[in-house]
Amino acid sequence: MKPDLGSIRPMRDVRVAVVGAGAFGGWAALTLARAGARVTLIDAWGPGNARASSGGDTRVMRATYGTRAIYTRLATRALALWREHDRQFHGELFTPAGALWLFEGDDVFGRASADALEAEGLPFEWLSPAETSARYPQLACDGVSSALFEPGAGYLHARRACAHVAARVAAEGGTVRTAAVGAPVRINGGPLRALPLAGGGTLEADAFLFACGPWLGELFPDVIGARIAPTRQEVYYFGTPAGDTRFSDSELPVWLDMGERIFYGIPDHAHRGFKVADDTSGAPFDPTSGSRDLTPEGIDRARAFLARRFPALAGAPLLGGEVCQYEASPDAHFILDRHPGSDNVWIAGGGSGHGFKMGPAMGEVIAAAMSGGGVPDEWRLGRFAQPAAMPEKWS
């Protein structure tokens, strides 16, 4: 089924506890509060913290998803909500810069994405390597066979957005707390009434939403367990030449390079530097205590890519970096469903490295489901009874 967008029933005075103040949990909490629920939003280290999958400075906002048109539709709705939220609250959460996809050989993903974009009425443009080089001379197109430009895309300010959404939850009647849940969560075959918190105390509610990203497997080892696999991902910020604006978002869009390894990046923003990231799934990672030091091997790969694709940045100084994580499901689809042992416990996660952009729309989908709506079959827990499908490239 398609995502159930916008059909949220009133939840006046229903007490809802939301665990996890990232993209899914924060926006769901805000949407539920606006539906009349009495929301308590908790997070172990606070909204957008450095351990969270929704932390860090920026995320790509795009609607290109190959044959997975469910996400193109969801991203279309999410983009409209990001823009509407910025207009209403002046949050400056979305920067429209466009997105340029570079294909080295096979562009089947791009062709399928273009069909889905067209179905949603979203603009796009195909460019030859020569046209790409002429438009963006700072970018070397060796090995590029075609390029797809998505003008409505751009990037989001992740940490800022998480903090802003949590502030809106509080402003619109909800409660925001820094608190951790004791693991695992005990479900005894009936409704959950009180959630024990680490360090003592409980959180009482009529309904519970767990949107804890990479910690869902720890909280629900029987239902989720290893079905969400956190992987270690490094992000780098390189310095651009003094006075050179060619690598700013005024002259270069977000870019995604579909080569042997998928690299992506965001042009210099807020004077932080030129962002480069390797999308290849990294090693298994403990999001609580895993080392977040950059590795020499990862830096070397990023430098080699940078020298090839952006020659003027060869030898650019490394200004800093981040180690974050993907929280991948086996098929890279989201997870949204009731806990099979309790009608008032919901689980949302499996962002798989592409979930942040969907936050506002997922808030609607989650709130609609919790108020009696449907859930796309691709996201239900029951799919894990079947053999896991291989994730689509850049899914």
Side-chain angles (χ1 to χ4, degrees), residues 37 40 43 57-58 70 75 103 128 149 180 185 220 242 245 249 254 277 356 363:
T40 300
D43 193 283
D57 276 355
T58 53
I70 184 175
F103 297 100
S128 69
F149 181 59
V185 176
F220 299 100
T245 62
D249 58 20
V254 169
F356 185 88

Side-chain angles (χ1 to χ4, degrees), residues 305-320:
F305 172 82
L306 200 62
R308 177 189 174 213
R309 189 61 74 210
F310 300 94
L313 296 181
L318 180 66
L319 302 182

Side-chain angles (χ1 to χ4, degrees), residues 145-234:
S145 57
S146 60
L148 176 66
F149 181 59
E150 187 182 353
Y155 62 91
L156 299 160
H157 300 267
R159 183 186 299 107
R160 183 194 306 170
C162 289
H164 180 86
V165 170
R168 290 309 316 162
V169 171
E172 299 189 29
T175 300
V176 180
R177 295 174 54 189
T178 299
V181 173
V185 176
R186 305 290 184 184
I187 302 295
N188 298 314
L192 182 65
R193 297 304 181 195
L195 182 64
L197 300 178
T202 60
L203 178 59
E204 297 182 357
D206 303 310
F208 295 83
L209 168 66
F210 292 86
C212 313
W215 293 278
L216 281 172
E218 180 182 343
L219 292 181
F220 299 100
D222 52 344
V223 175
I224 300 296
R227 287 165 176 157
I228 286 184
T231 60
R232 189 179 192 279
Q233 309 297 141
E234 297 190 11

Side-chain angles (χ1 to χ4, degrees), residues 19 39 42 52 82 96 101 120 127 141 151 154 157 188 192 214 227 240 262 270 282 298 322 325 346 361:
V19 183
V39 174
I42 70 170
W82 283 112
W101 293 77
E120 293 297 326
L127 301 173
C141 285
H157 300 267
N188 298 314
L192 182 65
R227 287 165 176 157
T240 58
I262 301 173
E322 299 162 343
Q325 68 270 332
W346 287 82

Side-chain angles (χ1 to χ4, degrees), residues 34-394:
R34 289 173 173 173
R38 292 161 53 194
V39 174
T40 300
L41 173 64
I42 70 170
D43 193 283
W45 293 285
N49 68 82
R51 289 181 173 97
S53 296
S54 294
D57 276 355
T58 53
R59 294 292 189 281
V60 176
M61 178 70 228
R62 44 93 186 186
T64 33
Y65 271 94
T67 58
R68 295 189 169 191
I70 184 175
Y71 295 107
T72 298
R73 181 168 184 258
L74 197 65
T76 302
R77 175 61 178 165
L79 178 58
L81 291 171
W82 283 112
R83 290 181 180 276
E84 178 184 316
H85 196 85
D86 270 356
R87 284 194 298 269
Q88 185 173 0
F89 297 106
H90 308 289
E92 297 182 351
L93 306 180
F94 171 65
T95 297
L100 181 68
W101 293 77
L102 303 170
F103 297 100
E104 300 186 26
D106 182 359
D107 64 1
V108 172
F109 176 86
R111 299 291 170 183
S113 296
D115 290 343
L117 292 172
E118 186 172 26
E120 293 297 326
L122 298 176
F124 63 90
E125 182 181 4
W126 282 103
L127 301 173
S128 69
E131 290 170 328
T132 304
S133 293
R135 186 177 296 185
Y136 306 111
Q138 64 275 63
L139 191 156
C141 285
D142 57 300
V144 173
S145 57
S146 60
L148 176 66
F149 181 59
E150 187 182 353
Y155 62 91
L156 299 160
H157 300 267
R159 183 186 299 107
R160 183 194 306 170
C162 289
H164 180 86
V165 170
R168 290 309 316 162
V169 171
E172 299 189 29
T175 300
V176 180
R177 295 174 54 189
T178 299
V181 173
V185 176
R186 305 290 184 184
I187 302 295
N188 298 314
L192 182 65
R193 297 304 181 195
L195 182 64
L197 300 178
T202 60
L203 178 59
E204 297 182 357
D206 303 310
F208 295 83
L209 168 66
F210 292 86
C212 313
W215 293 278
L216 281 172
E218 180 182 343
L219 292 181
F220 299 100
D222 52 344
V223 175
I224 300 296
R227 287 165 176 157
I228 286 184
T231 60
R232 189 179 192 279
Q233 309 297 141
E234 297 190 11
V235 176
Y236 314 97
Y237 297 90
F238 290 94
T240 58
D244 190 341
T245 62
R246 291 177 299 163
F247 301 98
S248 68
D249 58 20
S250 63
E251 298 189 34
L252 187 69
V254 169
W255 51 269
L256 309 99
D257 191 293
M258 303 289 281
E260 184 177 347
R261 297 177 76 95
I262 301 173
F263 279 86
Y264 70 93
I266 295 175
D268 192 12
H269 65 285
H271 314 299
R272 177 73 193 270
F274 189 76
K275 180 177 179 177
V276 178
D278 186 344
D279 186 59
T280 308
S281 293
F285 187 61
D286 181 343
T288 301
S289 58
S291 170
R292 295 186 184 262
D293 294 332
L294 302 177
T295 61
E297 297 80 9
I299 295 170
D300 288 346
R301 278 194 297 268
R303 285 193 183 282
F305 172 82
L306 200 62
R308 177 189 174 213
R309 189 61 74 210
F310 300 94
L313 296 181
L318 180 66
L319 302 182
E322 299 162 343
V323 174
C324 58
Q325 68 270 332
Y326 290 166
E327 31 145 334
S329 70
D331 54 11
H333 276 302
F334 297 161
I335 294 171
L336 176 60
D337 210 346
R338 294 181 193 269
H339 189 289
S342 182
D343 285 346
N344 73 332
V345 173
W346 287 82
I347 297 172
S352 301
H354 68 104
F356 185 88
K357 70 180 74 62
M358 306 296 191
M362 279 300 291
E364 291 185 333
V365 175
I366 293 167
M370 292 183 71
S371 66
V375 174
D377 292 338
E378 298 97 321
W379 299 350
R380 288 190 176 278
L381 290 167
R383 76 184 192 266
F384 295 125
Q386 305 299 321
M390 291 299 291
E392 183 177 328
K393 191 176 185 183
W394 192 263

